[in-house]
Amino acid sequence: MEPNSETSAASAPETAAKEKRIYRCNGTPFTEAVAVVAHDFRNPPALGQAEYSQVQKVHEKFVEHLSARLATFLRLECTATLTKFETQPYRTFIESIESPAEVALLEIEPLLGVGVLNIALPLCHTMIDRMLGGRGNVTHVDCAPSEIEIALLEDAIAIMMEEWSQQWRSEKKLQCQCIGHDTSARFLKTALPDAVMVCAFVDVQLGTTQGQLQFGIPYSTVEPMVKEAREREARTGAQAIAKKPQWRASYNDIAVPVVAQWKAKEMRVQELLSLASGDVLPMDPDLIAQTHVQLANTREFIGLVGIQNGRIAVQLTKHLAIE
């Protein structure tokens, strides 16, 4: 069966383009619809599965601790949820930031590159109001913060970035600082348009105010940290394998109950109630070789019952954990 050289393009919307191929089997034509998927070869995936998982775990832990840090700092109930984590070209990430906005440019020493943090305006004004002693109930949220308000907001940004730095657990001491602010990300050029950005989108509920944090940092900035974390995990795993269990003298005095038993027979309740002293229960002779030995209430072995040195003994014949 081979596809016919005749191929026609089916008319469909741009969002769901399909191609219809005509096949022939024993002279009988039939068609198969194949979905056409666009692929941008100019922006191939820059992160492997291992690197992507490593960076994602760091940001998940960062979001888990962010709620407590902001709630303690602002003395206001706070909930943070990581709604989306992905890699994007710098151009795409910048275009996703709406204007007006509060865009903070972040420098993380000794790493290279500049990170971008966009804080939704409702969250900005709620944080500022709380730091000024207010209740955090802000109604006018369309205007960008003033220079004085931005100076106050930098304290909250420092708390966020300090928590982000701690999640890397690096041997290097990371120091984050704001090097600039802007009300629009349209003309920012902190990285090349096709540079791969690690992007985290966090929904924050701060009191009665809802908003989103958009955090993007070039992968080239965190790449040394990712390599360091993977090497650290590899060393830890190698040490765990090389370390052999050692017997301690204190284990000698631990008493472990040992029980040998058979599953002799199943009986009805009526038959069980009719049993009396002197009754004989028939047993299968094969049960002698099917003795179940329990260690600390856990069935571990099967053995054979016999006599040794005038005492009843069980010879272990099978370890149930090894099939």
Side-chain angles (χ1 to χ4, degrees):
M1 179 183 66
E2 296 180 355
N4 189 12
S5 59
E6 178 185 359
T7 304
S8 60
S11 59
E14 295 181 358
T15 57
K18 288 190 176 180
E19 180 182 289
K20 183 178 292 183
R21 297 179 181 177
I22 301 178
Y23 290 80
R24 293 186 181 275
C25 181
N26 297 328
T28 303
F30 64 95
T31 61
E32 177 190 11
V34 180
V36 178
V37 180
H39 180 76
D40 189 355
F41 290 94
R42 295 172 299 178
N43 296 314
L47 278 69
Q49 185 62 35
E51 291 81 2
Y52 184 88
S53 300
Q54 184 72 38
V55 180
Q56 184 179 18
K57 288 179 181 178
V58 170
H59 286 81
E60 288 175 351
K61 292 180 180 179
F62 160 64
V63 174
E64 289 178 4
H65 294 81
L66 181 62
S67 302
R69 292 295 300 272
L70 288 179
T72 303
F73 176 69
L74 299 172
R75 293 169 296 165
L76 188 65
E77 183 179 358
C78 179
T79 303
T81 306
L82 181 64
T83 56
K84 185 168 66 172
F85 177 81
E86 61 184 6
T87 58
Q88 295 180 354
Y90 177 79
R91 181 195 309 107
T92 304
F93 175 72
I94 291 300
E95 291 175 352
S96 67
I97 300 177
E98 299 179 356
S99 298
E102 164 50 32
V103 180
L105 305 183
L106 307 171
E107 185 180 50
I108 306 171
E109 297 180 351
L111 305 180
L112 302 178
V114 176
V116 178
L117 175 63
N118 175 40
I119 307 176
L121 292 180
L123 293 178
C124 290
H125 290 286
T126 299
M127 294 179 185
I128 294 168
D129 185 69
R130 284 297 298 162
M131 285 186 281
L132 292 175
R135 296 183 178 181
N137 298 327
V138 181
T139 57
H140 303 288
V141 295
D142 295 334
C143 58
S146 64
E147 293 184 4
I148 297 177
E149 291 173 334
I150 288 176
L152 291 172
L153 194 61
E154 286 188 353
D155 293 339
I157 295 175
I159 294 292
M160 300 180 199
M161 297 311 301
E162 179 184 355
E163 186 62 42
W164 181 86
S165 301
Q166 290 181 359
Q167 299 309 318
W168 287 100
R169 306 186 188 280
S170 172
E171 298 176 359
K172 304 175 183 178
K173 185 177 180 180
L174 303 181
Q175 295 181 349
C176 301
Q177 60 179 349
C178 289
I179 59 175
H181 294 268
D182 207 328
T183 58
S184 174
R186 182 178 178 182
F187 301 106
L188 290 180
K189 295 183 179 180
T190 59
L192 295 176
D194 294 333
V196 177
M197 301 287 288
V198 176
C199 307
F201 300 84
V202 184
D203 283 348
V204 178
Q205 176 79 34
L206 192 57
T208 59
T209 305
Q210 290 184 341
Q212 189 179 68
L213 302 178
Q214 294 177 274
F215 178 59
I217 189 167
Y219 177 68
S220 58
T221 299
V222 299
E223 186 176 10
M225 312 296 294
V226 175
K227 293 181 178 179
E228 180 184 332
R230 294 190 63 186
E231 292 175 356
R232 183 168 58 250
E233 289 182 355
R235 290 195 302 268
T236 304
Q239 292 174 0
I241 295 175
K243 185 177 180 180
K244 297 181 179 179
Q246 297 181 354
W247 184 262
R248 299 182 181 180
S250 59
Y251 296 162
N252 296 331
D253 298 330
I254 299 177
V256 179
V258 180
V259 178
Q261 60 183 5
W262 296 305
K263 185 178 180 182
K265 185 180 181 180
E266 292 184 356
M267 302 179 64
R268 299 180 181 273
V269 176
Q270 183 179 0
E271 296 175 351
L272 182 63
L273 295 176
S274 63
L275 290 178
S277 179
D279 292 346
V280 177
L281 296 177
M283 296 178 60
D284 189 348
D286 295 338
L287 288 177
I288 296 177
Q290 296 294 324
T291 305
H292 295 274
V293 180
Q294 292 187 352
L295 304 179
N297 298 325
T298 303
R299 193 174 66 179
E300 297 285 349
F301 297 94
I302 292 180
L304 174 65
V305 174
I307 303 295
Q308 184 177 17
N309 299 329
R311 304 181 66 179
I312 299 177
V314 179
Q315 180 183 9
L316 304 179
T317 58
K318 184 179 180 181
H319 189 192
L320 295 180
I322 303 178
E323 298 295 340

